[in-house]
Amino acid sequence: MRTFRTVLEQRIWERRQTLEEFVQEAELYAREHREPGTLGLRHLQRLVAGRRSAGESLGQVKASTARLLESMLGSPVEELLSPPMERGPAASDVGASIHQGVMGAFEWLDDAAGWAKGSAVAKVGAGLKLADIGALQGQRAQRSRIGRRQVADAVRRYYRTGDTFGVRGPGLDVRTSVFTRPEWSDLGLPLDADNERLTLVQRAGAACVLDADCAEAAAQRLVTSAALGVRFANLPLYRLAEIDVSAEGIGGTVDVGSFVEYALTMDLLEAELADSVTSGSGALHPLRDRYLPDMEAVLDVAGRVCAGGVLSLVAIARPADPFRGAADYALIVQTRSDQVVNAAGRLAVIPKGFHQPLTDPRADARVGATLRRELEEELFGRGDVDTTAGAARAAAPMHPGRWSAPMRWLEDEPDRMRMECTGFGLNLVSGNYEFATLVVIEDEEFWPQFGGQLEANWEASGLTLYSSLDGELITDLVQQEAWSNEGLFALLQGLRRLREIGGSRVGLPSFERSGL
């Protein structure tokens, strides 16, 4: 039996390619997909060996090279550079292309569905053999083309509610799918110890039990994820047990659940809703009828799986420029990649991440802790805090000694960065709780020093910058149908707050809140 030093070496061998052929393919792929990464033969030889020529550790791979490999092969670079895992006979039938996190979901699904051990992996393996990749890609593309307004309108009709966040302005009337209340909106709460009182509790929750239809839908989700190279990792997630948000602060409790339970239950509702909108029926919601049937269930966060996210509009002060014009803030918007679990292909603010612990479940429950981690991961190039890459090996991944250069510079002076919670809501698409936040980098020296180093990770397929002085483009941006509803919620809350505090750097239109 052939022995491989790294998963990368195994993948190249399974493609029946020489290293030289893989380098040529990588060069072509980078040009066609506008990836900035490069890969030479000697560099690839070191990568597949997992060591430098002298035997020392590889160290951190350049972000652009990592992104190129991840995009080509559909797995995190940390997995590609690790030794291959041994597989049992059943797992081998599923295929080597599955992200290791999918493998970790099979035992959970067997237990939740009441199936014999090994049934889930057998079902997914059989499904992969029959899967039509082209049809699945077409289905994903069709879902991504559904307008944000269609999604928002569909869930408001289903729940018979008008209490979702929106704004009005000159020639503008935008509504989202995020259910909110007046006391949850327009907060401007600094994310500090005085305002963050979200605490961890331990609940003895009942084991999840899936009926036959829900179990089959979960298995199909694993087939689709594996076939399309979606990153899927069974990691801990915070689940909301109680919430108390107002201008007085962020209170409430969370416990720790699993990503698999969320991904194979509540997260299925997004795709089901999209398919219902596409079909034009407007009434095919068997999973929603089971998991989130009415507003009582939406608000009963303790009685269901209620995972959450932290989304932030990042505004970076820039000095005046002879070409760009007066001093402003750079506003960053991402297009989500096809490898993400939800909102694939959609516009969103960046960072956008799950509220989840790294290594310290009690301390990491703070919204500000998640936001700092996501800044490091999604904009500042810290691949070692990417939770989809596997278990954290560092005891304190966010220790100041491990900060990136941009984060270290920002934290050196307390007035260089402002972090605020601007709003809270419950997304009617999947029941998620959403913390909308705003990060303002106030010191304009940051942009000359670090602006060129900002680079999205695998979760984004592209970034776009907008000027806080360009009200015309911002108005057009707000109205684009490609937004995820939660992303637009965070953008609008952030823009309204930035208009209040941004001074002469801001020329944003006035958006009046609606829907409450």
Side-chain angles (χ1 to χ4, degrees), residues 155 159 161 164 177 179 288 292 295 298 426-431:
V155 292
Y159 293 108
T161 182
T164 59
S177 67
F179 173 86
R288 186 171 297 275
L292 204 65
M295 286 302 299
V298 171
L426 296 169
N427 194 342
L428 298 182
V429 172
S430 58

Side-chain angles (χ1 to χ4, degrees), residues 61-138:
V61 178
K62 189 176 179 181
S64 57
T65 302
R67 176 167 171 159
L68 174 60
L69 290 172
E70 290 173 342
S71 182
M72 289 180 66
L73 299 174
S75 296
V77 71
E78 292 82 4
E79 178 186 339
L80 294 172
L81 300 184
S82 65
M85 297 173 59
E86 292 294 327
R87 298 174 183 268
S92 297
D93 291 339
V94 176
S97 64
I98 290 185
H99 187 270
Q100 60 185 0
V102 176
M103 303 296 291
F106 295 134
E107 183 177 353
W108 182 91
L109 182 52
D110 283 340
D111 289 342
W115 294 341
K117 184 177 180 180
S119 298
V121 71
K123 283 180 176 289
V124 173
L128 278 173
K129 290 177 181 178
L130 298 174
D132 183 333
I133 303 298
L136 291 175
Q137 290 173 333

Side-chain angles (χ1 to χ4, degrees), residues 260-271:
V260 161
E261 181 179 20
Y262 161 74
L264 299 186
T265 55
M266 303 300 291
D267 198 49
L268 301 178
L269 303 185
E270 180 183 359

